[in-house]
Amino acid sequence: MARKIAVAILHGIGNQTEDFSDLFAEVLTKRFSQNIKPYYEEPENELIIQPIYWGSVFNEKENLLWEKLNQGTELDFKKLRQFVIHFFGDAIAYQPAFNYNPNYIKVHEVYARGLKILSEKAGEDAPLFVVAHSLGTVITSNYFYDLQFISERIHDDIKQNINETPLEKGYTLTSFYSLGSPLALWSLRYADFDIPIQVPSPHLKNYYPTLKGKWVNIYDKDDIFGYPLKSLNESYKRAVAEDVEVNSGDLISSSTPLSHKHYFKTNEVINEIGDEIAEAWKQLNLAPKSNQ
């Protein structure tokens, strides 16, 4: 039986819906399948994709806030204000606190439940690829930082959603694709711009000794929320394999800050991720057993 690949997809800031990843998952699977079709009859079954819809934690509260702010008050620029509430509300509400932030915990509970589903569907030790956009990259960084460096301090509500499987414990984290990431801005909260997570996980070699993984940071130079990461400090220079510049969006949006919204629809992004996941599958399933 072939080994499957697990893929977690996280959305970014803004008013997102539960189906945020449907189109991206479809085209990513198609690209992956094109690579695998010559070797496997049903390649689409080898890629297990799980969206992690963390926006469910904030959407209802942000909508309620908007209703309250509109009661008996005539505000100008209503659509822009709504955008600001959903766009920046997520980031403000999620901020990790030194002692306790229930929002941070709830978001990480959602993350843990998503990885649990992947573990059940793809296999407890399936290689894990994470594709995250915008604030989703910060959440991913925080989630795996907690697993890798301060696991003893993870809140019990989160731990209750984590089984003792290699995938759920982050041991099989193979590659991380950060799209339009504001991690550079978040790093200002820490001395010397903080310590990055380790990608691939240092435990990966215990399960797949020759499997190669990496952190690829993808940004558009016109995206004011997404930044290169390798230049932050020596630690990020080593941790991030590549800062890749792309044109995100169509002819108009790709040259404006609106490019931030279109990474999941950009062929260059889809093709790079799909091809690299396919190469990992080939290495796992087509290479001689002694090389795995």
Side-chain angles (χ1 to χ4, degrees):
M1 181 180 293
R3 287 189 175 274
K4 299 182 186 298
I5 301 288
V7 180
I9 303 176
L10 287 86
H11 62 80
I13 45 183
N15 190 14
Q16 303 287 341
T17 56
E18 199 167 356
D19 61 354
F20 76 93
S21 67
D22 285 1
L23 179 59
F24 178 70
E26 180 182 337
V27 293
L28 183 66
T29 300
K30 182 177 180 181
R31 182 70 181 193
F32 170 84
S33 298
Q34 288 172 349
N35 283 274
I36 304 304
K37 190 71 172 176
Y39 311 99
Y40 204 77
E41 190 172 339
E42 297 179 328
E44 64 277 0
N45 295 332
E46 299 306 294
L47 195 62
I48 308 301
I49 297 176
Q50 177 62 37
I52 297 181
Y53 176 50
W54 57 266
S56 59
V57 175
F58 301 119
N59 282 351
E60 186 176 344
K61 287 183 179 179
E62 289 168 354
N63 289 333
L64 180 60
L65 173 63
W66 176 243
E67 289 178 13
K68 287 179 177 293
L69 294 175
N70 271 286
Q71 289 176 1
T73 306
E74 281 297 324
L75 297 172
D76 292 332
F77 304 107
K78 286 194 173 185
K79 287 191 178 297
L80 183 58
R81 288 177 185 273
Q82 258 187 306
F83 169 80
V84 168
I85 286 174
H86 285 292
F87 207 74
F88 295 106
D90 290 348
I92 294 169
Y94 170 71
Q95 285 286 346
F98 178 73
N99 48 4
Y100 180 80
N101 178 356
N103 292 323
Y104 184 90
I105 293 168
K106 288 176 182 177
V107 168
H108 285 215
E109 284 183 67
V110 173
Y111 210 130
R113 288 195 291 269
L115 295 188
K116 180 184 292 186
I117 292 171
L118 277 174
S119 177
E120 292 168 351
K121 291 183 176 180
E124 295 183 353
D125 62 349
L128 174 63
F129 288 72
V130 178
V131 183
H133 174 233
S134 187
L135 185 59
T137 69
V138 176
I139 293 169
T140 294
S141 176
N142 286 339
Y143 188 85
F144 285 97
Y145 183 93
D146 291 353
L147 285 175
Q148 291 179 357
F149 298 109
I150 54 170
S151 59
E152 72 283 354
R153 286 162 50 187
I154 295 175
H155 195 275
D156 287 343
D157 289 349
I158 302 170
K159 287 181 179 178
Q160 289 172 6
N161 290 282
I162 302 175
N163 290 329
E164 291 293 314
T165 70
L167 190 154
E168 292 175 70
K169 294 173 73 174
Y171 290 173
T172 61
L173 175 64
T174 304
S175 287
F176 175 28
Y177 298 91
S178 51
L179 315 178
S181 177
L183 260 173
L185 302 178
W186 252 256
S187 69
L188 288 170
R189 300 179 70 247
Y190 306 98
D192 196 29
F193 304 106
D194 198 21
I195 301 170
I197 60 173
Q198 295 176 287
V199 184
S201 162
H203 298 280
L204 182 67
K205 60 181 180 293
N206 297 329
Y207 301 91
Y208 307 104
T210 63
L211 184 60
K212 305 299 181 184
K214 59 183 177 178
W215 180 349
V216 180
N217 180 56
I218 300 175
Y219 71 99
D220 186 310
K221 67 180 181 180
D222 299 300
D223 174 10
I224 60 174
F225 298 103
Y227 294 87
L229 294 175
K230 288 180 70 67
S231 58
L232 282 178
N233 59 26
E234 284 300 317
S235 295
Y236 271 95
K237 186 176 182 179
R238 291 191 298 269
V240 179
E242 300 175 83
D243 281 321
V244 178
E245 183 186 333
V246 300
N247 273 321
S248 172
D250 56 26
L251 187 61
I252 297 175
S253 61
S254 65
S255 58
T256 73
L258 291 174
S259 58
H260 184 72
K261 299 173 59 179
H262 297 285
Y263 290 94
F264 283 146
K265 300 176 183 177
T266 300
N267 286 335
E268 191 176 348
V269 174
I270 296 163
N271 294 345
E272 175 165 348
I273 298 174
D275 291 350
E276 290 184 359
I277 294 176
E279 286 304 311
W281 185 93
K282 291 177 189 177
Q283 186 174 351
L284 288 174
N285 294 289
L286 302 180
K289 295 295 182 183
S290 59
N291 291 334
Q292 293 183 23

